[in-house]
Amino acid sequence: TISQSPRAPRTESRTSRTRRVTVSRTATGQRATVPILMLDWLAQTLGPGSELILLFVASFLAGSIVPVGSEIILFGVLKLNAALLWPALASATAGNTLGGLSSYALGRFLPAGKSRPAQQVRDRVMRFGSPVLLLAWLPWIGDPLCVAAGWLRLNVWQCAIFIAIGKFGRYWLIAIAAR
């Protein structure tokens, strides 16, 4: 049986001997997972470009200290519309870079630490300088690196460039996987 409403994704139900399988499809007829169906619904409800706004916001939050995953949203956007490759990469990279810079800004407000662990962090980050922020995309490591860069008053423009390069590289790999 196939059911379809004007705004809901099409759903096929097949019954086998042991279980009932539901396969959901987007408006374009592609098989889809729940996040992709949600993106498809959002694009139909809010109009074109709304998925890029959602991607930007999720990427910004993921780049800041808020634990959000933007990778699945980028993957979903590219699965729904492969033609959005460059706008999606730009949106995700810009949002994530700005999120990383918000962590950098938080670090600027921290007082200089005199404790031994604070000195160890300072020495490690200062040894590599701004290029260490190429690793800002790593989970559990990236946010502290951005905060430490702000705390150490590293050059904000150099930090922004290295953060953007690292985050673009990660999103580029996700885009390749989405093809």
Side-chain angles (χ1 to χ4, degrees), residues 61-99:
L61 292 174
S64 69
I65 60 172
V66 179
V68 176
S70 59
E71 296 84 2
I72 188 69
I73 296 173
L74 174 65
F75 189 86
V77 166
L78 294 176
K79 278 296 189 184
L80 285 173
N81 190 350
L84 289 178
L85 173 66
W86 293 110
L89 283 173
S91 178
T93 302
N96 215 253
T97 300
L98 290 173

Side-chain angles (χ1 to χ4, degrees), residues 98-167:
L98 290 173
L101 289 174
S102 72
S103 296
Y104 174 94
L106 287 174
R108 297 285 293 218
F109 291 110
L110 292 176
K114 302 291 183 195
S115 68
R116 182 170 164 80
Q119 290 299 325
Q120 287 175 338
V121 168
R122 182 182 121 351
D123 292 342
R124 285 187 182 145
V125 174
M126 288 303 286
R127 187 163 119 209
F128 297 104
S130 298
V132 77
L133 294 173
L134 288 169
L135 302 175
W137 62 272
L138 289 171
W140 303 104
I141 296 172
D143 292 335
L145 284 175
C146 292
V147 171
W151 177 62
L152 294 170
R153 307 316 194 251
L154 296 180
N155 182 298
V156 68
W157 298 110
Q158 289 177 354
C159 290
I161 290 169
F162 286 112
I163 290 170
I165 291 169
K167 295 194 182 238

